[in-house]
Amino acid sequence: MGLHENKPPTSEWGELRFDEIARFEIKYLERHNEDLVVPDEDLYAVFRLLDNHFTTAAGMLSDLGVSYFTTPTCYPERETDGGEQYRDSSEPFLLFIELFNRIVALDAKRALAHAMLWDEGNEYFFRKLKLYALSKPDLFDANDAAEIISTFDQTAFWDNEVVRELLFALVDRWDEFTDDSKEVIAERILAGPDKMDHQSEDDYPAFRDQIAASYGRYLQLNGCDLPDASATRLAEIIAGIQNWHDGWATSTVILSGVHTSWVGTDETPDAVLDLPVNEVITKAKEDLKRDFGSFTERRPFTGLVRANPRKALCALTIAGKTGDFPLAFWSAIINELPSDIAPRLRRVFLHRVARLPHPIVVELRHTLARWLEQNLVDLLEFDDDLGWTVFDHVVDGTLSGGADAAASGRGEVRMGGEVIERSRRTYGHAIDGPLGMCAEALFHAVPGEKQEAGSLVPDHIKARLERLFAAPGEGSDHAVSTATRKLNWLMYIDPDWTQERLIPLLAYDHPASEPAWNGLLYSGRVPRLPLAKVIKPLMLDLFPWIEEFSWDRDLSRVAAQWLGFMRVFHPDDPADLPRPR
């Protein structure tokens, strides 16, 4: 992508990945919506061709280092809840299963010969196919199947891509297993998966127990009697899992599918509308749930906020006196409070927000920051002093939570279960970070519908920005990238402060240089002459420095375009770059 399309790789030869040299794709068989009728006399020949096809494709995928790859379920009609989304390999895979089923019926020995050769270590096709074959009584003796499954390594046994095939095979053959086979399988399941690299030692036990309990309980719910010791151990594991629900077990086999239903919300306030105000929160908590299998989430308090905001605020105030600050209901009133309420009620609401305990502000920081980003200007027009009091309280509360509270709400990027390393010191993370949103709110609050040249950023806004720049952890980075994204505009309205406080952040040896450049490049706007003049010395050395970062967007292309634009279209400007020798 970007510059890498035209730039030779820089890694050592022995460390090169294929995708650094070229982009490879595997072309699969395409049926083009045509029905392919395979007569019995040609059945084995076509099946063998597809078997070789998958063997070759699996080798290529392994050579290319493809870590994320999915195939359809072998049981498209069993325990599905919604459809699946398939990739290019789906058509031949589904055809292969269809032909395999026919061969099992016509020539079980030949089908067995192929199934015995399928390697469960192959994650792309044959692990799933192996488990599917092991479920068939015409091919494998039940205890032979149990022994083969018990020899799967941890990666293969706990592969989420084959969970349906594994559990269905166990359920279908369980009654045929000997007691010894049942004990071996049950012990393997209750031991749980290994700890993944990204998991902490504190998080792993809960993860292990929940997965093990889901597998074990699924077997029980489907008529598989576990050995007494295993059943007792499973009961102990489940007892230690907070709010356990058997739905977690039954949903395990649906994880490979794509759920296409919409989860709706019922915000009808009838359940709380006529209750005494001191009973509203208790009743609303009871209704704030979605039963397993239901696609409707009841939110009567949200409906009450719209229908009777005064009663909703009173209910929260009464609960707050006892130290109860239900986050879902505070989020509802922050986001859904009607804009046409009486000024007195709005003032009371703002005072309540300004008095929320700091731990509650930490929990609500993303909701409150997004609300300030969207509404700070209106709050200041309503009551300037009160508006700034609310803003400062939200920032104070967020900062009281330390670096963790200042982190972006954007999570890790994963592919095939592996974490893709990406820098979090970016504007892309700032827009989902509480302090990034607060910084954006401050720029919205600069007075005037359209600022004039030299109109200046007010000192009280600069002071608040400076505080955000000094925030711990990611918070500072998010504030910096939000500010540098506006450098063209800031150089126009307040050049002295911008050159004194923001331009130095772009120096490559400055601790904030990465978020500063990310914000500037993220804007996508070619530097205007005032800005170009002051950053010209830095632009000359932008490459290869910029290539050190694993950003969520390829901004090296933007940087290259800027350099080209400034050289071609402004050759005589003071900000022009020197001609190459």
Side-chain angles (χ1 to χ4, degrees):
M1 294 178 63
L3 186 68
H4 299 290
E5 293 178 352
N6 304 304
K7 176 190 168 192
T10 56
S11 304
E12 294 294 331
W13 182 253
E15 301 173 355
L16 278 178
R17 303 188 312 270
F18 273 113
D19 60 2
E20 292 182 88
I21 303 171
R23 178 181 177 183
F24 294 95
E25 293 183 353
I26 298 175
K27 191 68 173 177
Y28 298 93
L29 168 72
E30 295 183 10
R31 296 168 65 174
H32 301 288
N33 296 319
E34 294 287 341
D35 290 332
L36 180 61
V37 178
V38 182
D40 288 348
E41 57 267 27
D42 298 321
L43 177 60
Y44 182 65
V46 176
F47 175 80
R48 188 174 57 185
L49 284 171
L50 286 175
D51 194 319
N52 292 335
H53 172 103
F54 287 130
T55 300
T56 302
M60 291 180 176
L61 290 167
S62 179
D63 289 343
L64 294 174
V66 175
S67 59
Y68 179 72
F69 189 86
T70 60
T71 51
T73 176
C74 295
Y75 301 87
E77 305 299 328
R78 183 171 175 178
E79 296 192 43
T80 58
D81 190 4
E84 283 193 287
Q85 292 181 342
Y86 299 140
R87 56 195 302 145
D88 292 346
S89 61
S90 299
E91 285 193 5
F93 190 83
L94 294 171
L95 175 61
F96 188 74
I97 294 172
E98 176 189 330
L99 300 182
F100 179 67
N101 289 336
R102 289 174 58 188
I103 290 179
V104 170
L106 293 173
D107 192 343
K109 288 184 178 180
R110 183 168 276 183
L112 174 62
H114 279 270
M116 290 293 293
L117 295 175
W118 292 340
D119 179 11
E120 67 273 9
N122 179 276
E123 62 185 298
Y124 302 112
F125 304 104
F126 294 114
R127 181 179 297 161
K128 183 174 288 187
L129 290 169
K130 183 84 165 194
L131 287 167
Y132 182 60
L134 291 170
S135 72
K136 294 188 174 296
D138 292 339
L139 300 185
F140 290 92
D141 173 78
N143 293 295
D144 289 342
E147 183 178 356
I148 293 172
I149 291 174
S150 66
T151 61
F152 278 25
D153 64 23
Q154 284 287 80
T155 299
F157 191 89
W158 295 104
D159 181 0
N160 192 55
E161 286 297 320
V162 300
V163 61
R164 286 169 57 85
E165 285 67 28
L166 172 66
L167 291 179
F168 289 165
L170 294 177
V171 168
D172 291 348
R173 309 302 302 272
W174 193 264
D175 289 341
E176 305 172 63
F177 292 163
T178 64
D179 290 343
D180 288 343
S181 294
K182 292 178 181 178
E183 184 175 348
V184 169
I185 294 295
E187 289 180 355
R188 178 72 182 273
I189 287 175
L190 296 182
D194 292 340
K195 186 177 80 68
M196 293 187 283
D197 292 340
H198 68 275
Q199 288 179 317
S200 68
E201 294 292 344
D202 293 336
D203 293 339
Y204 168 61
F207 164 79
R208 176 198 62 211
D209 288 350
Q210 184 165 330
I211 298 298
S214 296
Y215 278 49
R217 184 59 179 151
Y218 178 81
L219 295 180
Q220 285 186 327
L221 293 172
N222 284 272
C224 301
D225 295 326
L226 301 184
D228 291 343
S230 298
T232 300
R233 173 61 182 143
L234 175 61
E236 293 172 350
I237 293 174
I238 290 176
I241 299 175
Q242 187 175 10
N243 300 321
W244 169 266
H245 194 297
D246 279 348
W248 294 353
T250 56
S251 67
T252 300
V253 297
I254 306 176
L255 292 178
S256 295
V258 177
H259 214 295
T260 57
S261 299
W262 291 94
V263 176
T265 57
D266 178 5
E267 298 177 350
T268 305
D270 296 352
V272 296
L273 190 60
D274 296 325
L275 287 178
V277 69
N278 61 336
E279 298 177 13
V280 167
I281 298 300
T282 300
K283 177 61 176 174
K285 286 181 178 179
E286 293 175 0
D287 281 8
L288 185 65
K289 61 185 178 181
R290 176 166 63 90
D291 294 333
F292 184 80
S294 169
F295 288 96
T296 301
E297 186 176 278
R298 297 191 293 274
R299 298 180 183 174
F301 189 84
T302 301
L304 181 66
V305 170
R306 298 193 183 111
N308 191 338
R310 183 182 301 276
K311 185 171 187 176
L313 184 57
C314 287
L316 287 174
T317 301
I318 291 172
K321 291 179 179 179
T322 64
D324 184 15
F325 297 89
L327 302 180
F329 302 155
W330 272 102
S331 293
I333 201 167
I334 290 167
N335 290 323
E336 304 295 340
L337 191 70
S339 59
D340 58 352
I341 59 174
R344 178 172 177 173
L345 181 58
R346 182 172 300 280
R347 194 176 304 279
V348 172
F349 165 70
L350 294 176
H351 278 292
R352 295 286 182 270
V353 172
R355 295 172 186 168
L356 286 172
H358 280 179
I360 302 303
V361 173
V362 170
E363 294 296 329
L364 292 169
R365 62 193 183 279
H366 290 97
T367 298
L368 287 165
R370 183 73 67 193
W371 172 69
L372 285 174
E373 181 184 7
Q374 297 170 351
N375 296 281
L376 180 60
V377 173
D378 291 339
L379 299 185
L380 297 175
E381 290 178 354
F382 174 75
D383 187 321
D384 189 78
D385 290 340
L386 183 55
W388 285 120
T389 297
V390 170
F391 178 90
D392 292 339
H393 184 68
V394 171
V395 172
D396 289 344
T398 302
L399 293 177
S400 74
D404 289 343
S408 172
R410 179 175 292 190
E412 297 174 329
V413 177
R414 291 180 175 274
M415 184 171 288
E418 297 181 5
V419 176
I420 306 300
E421 295 296 334
R422 290 285 186 270
S423 172
R424 299 182 62 85
R425 309 183 70 191
T426 69
Y427 179 75
H429 285 80
I431 59 179
D432 289 317
L435 299 187
M437 290 184 269
C438 287
E440 191 69 45
L442 289 174
F443 287 118
H444 291 171
V446 174
E449 292 185 6
K450 184 176 181 180
Q451 291 76 24
E452 300 296 330
S455 57
L456 304 183
V457 176
D459 289 342
H460 64 276
I461 291 180
K462 292 178 185 175
R464 289 177 168 90
L465 283 169
E466 294 284 358
R467 190 177 184 211
L468 297 182
F469 293 159
E474 294 178 22
S476 172
D477 298 334
H478 299 162
V480 166
S481 61
T482 300
T484 56
R485 184 171 177 266
K486 303 177 184 296
L487 273 184
N488 270 316
W489 173 68
L490 289 170
M491 279 293 294
Y492 177 71
I493 68 168
D494 202 334
D496 291 341
W497 176 74
T498 302
Q499 292 190 62
E500 177 185 344
R501 187 64 186 90
L502 298 182
I503 297 300
L505 303 180
L506 297 171
Y508 300 130
D509 59 351
H510 194 286
S513 58
E514 181 187 349
W517 275 104
N518 184 275
L520 176 58
L521 292 168
Y522 207 103
S523 71
R525 299 183 179 91
V526 176
R528 296 173 187 158
L529 188 58
L531 177 59
K533 286 180 180 179
V534 296
I535 68 172
K536 171 186 172 180
L538 295 170
M539 291 286 290
L540 295 174
D541 296 318
L542 190 55
F543 289 96
W545 178 82
I546 192 178
E547 297 175 285
E548 298 176 6
F549 307 111
S550 55
W551 288 341
D552 50 356
R553 284 183 59 184
D554 183 14
L555 297 180
S556 59
R557 179 189 291 273
V558 176
Q561 289 173 341
W562 285 6
L563 289 168
F565 182 89
M566 294 166 66
R567 184 68 194 89
V568 173
F569 293 101
H570 298 281
D572 299 320
D573 287 341
D576 175 38
L577 302 173
R579 294 183 180 276
R581 296 179 181 178

